[in-house]
Amino acid sequence: MSDNPYEKAYQREKLARNEAEHLLEDLSRKLYDKNEEINRLYEDLKRNQSIMVQHEKLASVGELASGIAHEINNPVGFCLTNINSLQDQLPILLEACAAGSPDWDAEKQADADYLREDLPILIRETIDGLISIQTIVRDLRYYSRNSNQDAFSGADLNQGIKSTLNVLRNKISAQYQIHLALGDLPLIHCNQGKLNQVFTNLILNGLQAMGASGNLYIDSYQDGDQVVIRISDDGPGIKDAIALEIFQPFYTTKKVGDGTGLGLSISRSIITELHAGQISLVKDGRGQGATFEIRIPIEQEDLGSA
Ligand SMILES: Nc1ncnc2c1ncn2[C@@H]1O[C@H](COP(=O)(O)OP(=O)(O)OP(=O)(O)O)[C@@H](O)[C@H]1O
Ligand SMILES: [Mg+2]
């Protein structure tokens, strides 16, 4: 190094400037990284918020349905009681129609004869209609049972599947064949309303994948200390490359407005986090397309709400 004091000072200053520049560069990089991290956290927060909103929405739809079903249940109940006692009294009424009345002309008697034929049919059809409203209401109540409350004991998952299918009946046109093979299952301590949300998403996914027609297979059986539910379709199936991705929040191949891409991620959290179970794609389903398998331990710990 030179002995020239100016040169030395210059070198010292250059060194200091370099150090300062490095320090600045280092700090800028750290700032940039922090900024990136904040952006990432912000995006995560936004996604989690959307998931929570979707959870809440599903839960409040369930509560609303259950509330309406409850309100309908009472009037339908007394309509049925009344019409049943009318049916019990029917023979007296029919007898009176047959006997007629001295004041009646031929036209009145013809009306009474028609009524004698028609009344039993009208009453029977009304009873059938009310019973079918009662079934729909029962299914709706079962469907949304406990969807936003703490867990309860003793749910029949086969009944949950049937109620879900009934609630979805307007989405399941005659072009779809539903093949049920529901085996004997023990009652499960679970959140039935939330499990029904999972069945709903898997059934709708299957129908949407198949398009206008096809076969949907739903199996249930006990396998050791687990219950197994399989939902299988005849759609195009799911390629191995995206088999894990489909469970990620917001992964969807559907048009905007047709799907949020949250169905499977919410289903996974309901099965794994809330019921200590598993949900996966399997290869040996009854349908030609995708088969989802749910496994839930029969012995459930005390469950919280998801
Ligand atoms: N049975 C299936 N057959 C073929 N692809 C499927 C099937 N089920 C799911 N998928 C694929 O996985 C994606 C994610 O499904 P997911 O249920 O999470 O969301 P989504 O159905 O698109 O929207 P939504 O939030 O309304 O449920 C679907 O968009 C589809 O590409
Ligand atoms: Mg879906």
Side-chain angles (χ1 to χ4, degrees), residues 61-224:
V61 168
E63 260 173 58
L64 194 70
S66 150
I68 293 171
H70 185 78
E71 292 302 313
I72 295 174
N73 200 35
N74 291 337
V76 169
F78 67 69
C79 285
L80 252 174
T81 312
N82 289 356
I83 197 100
N84 274 324
S85 57
L86 194 64
Q87 194 182 37
D88 291 344
Q89 308 296 326
L90 199 59
I92 302 172
L93 213 66
L94 297 182
E95 225 175 273
C97 283
S101 159
D103 316 335
W104 288 357
D105 56 15
E107 201 181 330
K108 267 255 167 68
Q109 188 56 55
D111 284 348
D113 289 343
Y114 177 73
L115 198 64
R116 268 175 60 215
E117 275 178 33
D118 208 27
L119 208 54
I121 302 172
L122 290 182
I123 290 184
R124 204 173 333 111
E125 285 179 358
T126 307
I127 290 176
D128 286 350
L130 287 170
I131 288 174
S132 98
I133 295 176
Q134 235 181 9
T135 312
I136 295 169
V137 165
R138 193 206 57 214
D139 285 333
L140 261 178
R141 294 177 76 186
Y142 203 88
Y143 178 78
S144 39
R145 195 173 164 191
N146 222 41
S147 68
N148 202 23
Q149 295 156 26
D150 286 341
F152 61 92
S153 310
D156 175 352
L157 296 195
N158 286 337
Q159 182 55 47
I161 293 168
K162 288 188 216 153
S163 300
T164 303
L165 285 169
N166 280 338
V167 168
L168 294 177
R169 77 175 87 194
N170 68 336
K171 302 242 181 221
I172 305 177
S173 69
Q175 272 81 305
Y176 297 113
Q177 299 289 320
I178 310 288
H179 306 269
L180 289 182
L182 306 179
D184 285 342
L185 296 183
L187 297 181
I188 304 280
H189 179 71
C190 64
N191 189 320
Q192 176 79 73
K194 291 212 182 279
L195 288 183
N196 289 342
Q197 277 177 26
V198 176
F199 302 149
T200 303
N201 184 51
L202 296 184
I203 292 168
L204 288 180
N205 277 353
L207 298 182
Q208 285 161 355
M210 291 193 287
S213 63
N215 294 289
L216 190 82
Y217 304 86
I218 306 181
D219 302 355
S220 70
Y221 55 93
Q222 183 176 344
D223 182 15

